[in-house]
Amino acid sequence: MDLKGKNAVVTGASRGIGLQIAKDLAQKGVNVAIVDIGPAEVAQAAVEAVSAYGVTAHSYSCDVSKGESVKDAVAAIRKDFGTVELLVNNAGITRDNLMSFMKEEDFEAVIAVNLKGVFNMTKAISGLMIRQKLGRIVNISSVSGLMGNAGQVNYAASKAGVVGLTKSVARELASRGITCNAVAPGFIETAMTKDLDNSPLVATIPLGHMGQVEDVAQAVVFLLSSDYITGEVLRVDGGIAM
Ligand code: NAP
């Protein structure tokens, strides 16, 4: 699919991987709705970085874990953009700890943002896509969801859930011209992994180094452009989960 002139919603797009996805889409001529929970100044800086490519960009303050917040944001996006053809569910959090020490609220918070957030946003945006019989959805999972990770039972469960959700949505919406895929990054240099540089885990990456946000964004844009890939999980992980 030619992405030029299409409208995209990218969650968690004011920094990290999401911001890079938004910029790569803008470079292809895609207008971007930046959905984020954080401070308005950070979102405004992202809007400026994205609109520098000559496309339309707006930001929407939204907590993806809350259905009402998502409904309000999607109503505002619909008003500003009319239609949405592309959705990237990228917003995510970690609350790592060994299971014995993990608090129930930290388990619930991670599932709420990383998994329920994907459900909330996909449900709301796919309504628009079904009407136009066209849509491309990419969800950001993680290699933790594919192979597990000590200290991340909440995060790994949420990201494994994203894989199941992705394949179910792919099956449900295929007849409506909508594809749904996931990207499973390994260790990517962002604020989320700032303490990992010297971790022994990094030494186990076959390619020998952490990935960059550009590596993930490239895979997302590829899947958004494809007409015949659905229900796929594409690892971008330097080989760690092969
Ligand atoms: P990041 O730098 O921490 O950025 C996360 C983004 O999600 C931020 O913009 C954040 O907003 C937003 N966000 C958090 N909670 C939200 C909520 N309730 N509603 C709306 N937005 C929310 O993380 P990242 O490293 O770019 O990660 C992006 C995605 O890739 C996540 O799903 C993550 O799990 C996944 N991933 C990352 C790695 C990695 O190595 N970095 C590996 C595998 C998977 P604020 O700016 O307001 O906090």
Side-chain angles (χ1 to χ4, degrees):
M1 184 165 82
D2 183 8
L3 297 183
K4 196 171 171 22
K6 301 285 190 299
N7 300 322
V9 171
V10 183
T11 69
S14 65
R15 61 192 172 96
I17 292 170
L19 177 58
Q20 191 60 44
I21 292 168
K23 287 202 252 179
D24 279 16
L25 286 173
Q27 202 170 23
K28 298 239 172 238
V30 175
N31 305 308
V32 186
I34 291 166
V35 172
D36 223 306
I37 194 171
E41 323 73 85
V42 182
Q44 187 49 36
V47 166
E48 281 163 25
V50 170
S51 48
Y53 291 92
V55 298
T56 301
H58 297 296
S59 70
Y60 304 85
S61 176
C62 167
D63 180 349
V64 296
S65 71
K66 305 270 191 304
E68 281 306 312
S69 179
V70 169
K71 266 191 213 156
D72 291 346
V74 171
I77 290 167
R78 202 175 161 200
K79 214 165 142 216
D80 292 340
F81 289 86
T83 63
V84 174
E85 294 90 1
L86 313 171
L87 168 63
V88 182
N89 285 304
N90 164 80
I93 60 169
T94 51
R95 296 276 188 277
D96 296 353
N97 213 336
L98 292 173
M99 187 172 64
S100 311
F101 303 110
M102 189 175 286
K103 294 183 179 137
E104 189 177 343
E105 58 261 36
D106 286 338
F107 187 87
E108 285 175 349
V110 169
I111 298 289
V113 175
N114 297 6
L115 181 55
K116 200 173 93 179
V118 177
F119 164 75
N120 286 337
M121 192 53 81
T122 305
K123 185 177 170 187
I125 294 288
S126 66
L128 307 179
M129 292 175 169
I130 287 168
R131 246 171 271 152
Q132 69 211 9
K133 282 194 166 270
L134 177 68
R136 300 282 176 269
I137 302 167
V138 173
N139 300 322
I140 306 300
S141 177
S142 165
V143 292
S144 292
L146 304 181
M147 57 186 216
N149 195 16
Q152 288 199 313
V153 291
N154 50 0
Y155 184 79
S158 72
K159 294 299 188 179
V162 166
V163 171
L165 184 152
T166 298
K167 294 184 181 195
S168 303
V169 169
R171 286 184 186 277
E172 250 182 71
L173 300 184
S175 64
R176 312 298 184 99
I178 298 168
T179 67
C180 184
N181 293 288
V183 168
F187 295 107
I188 309 299
E189 283 184 26
T190 69
M192 191 177 267
T193 53
K194 62 182 183 323
D195 303 325
L196 271 183
D197 284 14
N198 298 316
S199 159
L201 268 179
V202 175
T204 68
I205 302 169
L207 284 178
H209 57 87
M210 290 175 69
Q212 302 299 316
V213 290
E214 290 82 356
D215 298 318
V216 182
Q218 191 181 42
V220 171
V221 172
F222 164 70
L223 288 172
L224 290 173
S225 313
S226 170
D227 291 334
Y228 203 60
I229 300 177
T230 198
E232 185 56 273
V233 181
L234 178 54
R235 289 185 295 106
V236 180
D237 66 349
I240 200 166
M242 75 172 119

